Amino acid sequence: MPTLRSLAAAGAVSSGMRPINPTVTWPNHTAMITGVDASQHHVMANGLIDLPADGSAPTVEPWTDKDKLVHARTLYEAAAEKGMTTAQVDWVAIYGARGVRWEFGEKPDVHEEIPQELITRGIVTQEQIEHFGQASSPAWRDEIWTDAAVDILERHTPNLLLFHLLQTDSIQHQYGPLTPAAYASYAYADHCIARVVEAARAAGILDRTTFFLLSDHGFATYTQTISPNVGLVSQGILHKQGSQYIGRAWVKAEGGAASLYIRNPEDRAELLPKLKTYFSTLPGVAHVYTNQEASSIGLPAEADSDQAPQLYLVAAPGFAFSDDATGEMIRSNPPRGQHGYLNTMPDMQSLFLASGSAIRTGISLGPVSNLQVAPTIAKILGVSLPDAQQPPLDKILR
């Protein structure tokens, strides 16, 4: 990873950056551009969790407008209010957001300016844009997202660019962390970052550009899968109706953690103590939090958000949760990678690297919080995020 190592030598690096709970992609992307945790921004999954009225399984809706999903002020909104230009490539929880001037999204719109520029330049076809997430590899998508970031920097030079590479996540889920496949994905990510740095150089803005290289969470290996909804079936809380299960409560799995929702508030007094006891004694479950207890780990209160779970299950090392309602409650699987575990777990710590015009050289930091990222960038841009829960990293700034 020569690009990352070069940027690190010329800038500031942390020994580990603590994510927020849940240690999942969208909640942590949101934390890094708002400075607040899920108790305030209310993002609990990779989209909006929807609980169908008929009692069927919950779904996660990724293509939800930002204003409905994110309940906090963002860096791009603060920058736009000051007359600055902003852009995003494959960022998340940002659909329909105000204040983003140029974008090439996770699900790009063929009619927007940046996709049209890539089509005109022969980098991608209209058909490839229209079917972007279908029958394509994560490596190819990262390559096109990098093309979009390069195009934005060279042609438009925004004040703020949010750029997300995905293949390192996809590969580690499939093969596990610290595997040959994972190391290959890190090297490829370094190649993509090198192209972005070179684009800043080609645009003549490298000497006034600051780079933040961040990961949203760590990864841990697991070999046992727990299916809490199988337990809800055995307890008579879920039952088969036609081709699907329906019931009074469901668990939505997020890797190393799982959120349990009891739809009807009138059922909670009966079901909560029963289910907390049941899941607390299940092998592989390290802890079960009530909603009130989960405030201590930064989750939203059910009085504030319908995304807040009534119970929050945390897996022990080596275990992960699934959404399955059939099959065995606990089953073995080949080694794979997951996140979602408590943010205090060493394997969940993530990358923090800052380098460039606003950053002092040769700064070695101890542990930092990803809640410090947004206020640090805000200070560089000269914008305000008054709700940020942590101070900026003044030590690293020139």
Side-chain angles (χ1 to χ4, degrees), residues 372-394:
Q372 295 178 276
V373 171
T376 304
I377 297 174
K379 189 164 186 176
I380 294 170
L381 291 174
V383 301
S384 174
L385 289 176
D387 295 329
Q389 294 171 303
Q390 294 280 344
L393 293 164
D394 290 328

Side-chain angles (χ1 to χ4, degrees), residues 205-219:
I205 58 171
L206 187 61
D207 62 345
R208 51 195 176 94
T209 299
T210 301
F211 298 94
F212 283 79
L213 286 301
L214 315 162
S215 59
D216 46 359
H217 51 70
F219 257 95

Side-chain angles (χ1 to χ4, degrees), residues 222-232 234 251-260 278-288 313-333 336 338 341:
Y222 73 101
T223 57
Q224 300 282 315
T225 299
I226 307 170
S227 300
N229 288 317
V230 172
L232 295 181
S234 73
V251 171
K252 189 74 193 75
E254 288 290 349
S259 295
L260 184 143
Y278 174 75
F279 285 118
S280 295
T281 60
L282 199 64
V285 176
H287 197 82
V288 178
L313 285 59
V314 177
F319 291 81
F321 294 109
S322 88
D323 288 329
D324 293 342
T326 59
E328 298 177 83
M329 173 85 78
I330 302 173
R331 65 180 186 275
S332 298
N333 54 259
R336 300 189 184 107
Q338 261 302 0
Y341 303 90

Side-chain angles (χ1 to χ4, degrees), residues 256-325:
S259 295
L260 184 143
Y261 294 92
I262 302 171
R263 289 176 170 77
N264 188 345
E266 295 180 1
D267 290 335
R268 292 171 186 171
E270 171 200 351
L271 294 180
L272 272 174
K274 173 183 175 181
L275 292 177
K276 180 172 184 180
T277 298
Y278 174 75
F279 285 118
S280 295
T281 60
L282 199 64
V285 176
H287 197 82
V288 178
Y289 293 87
T290 64
N291 182 255
Q292 184 176 4
E293 292 166 344
S295 66
S296 67
I297 58 170
L299 300 194
E302 59 189 16
D304 297 333
S305 173
D306 62 3
Q307 302 296 286
Q310 279 66 63
L311 291 176
Y312 190 69
L313 285 59
V314 177
F319 291 81
F321 294 109
S322 88
D323 288 329
D324 293 342

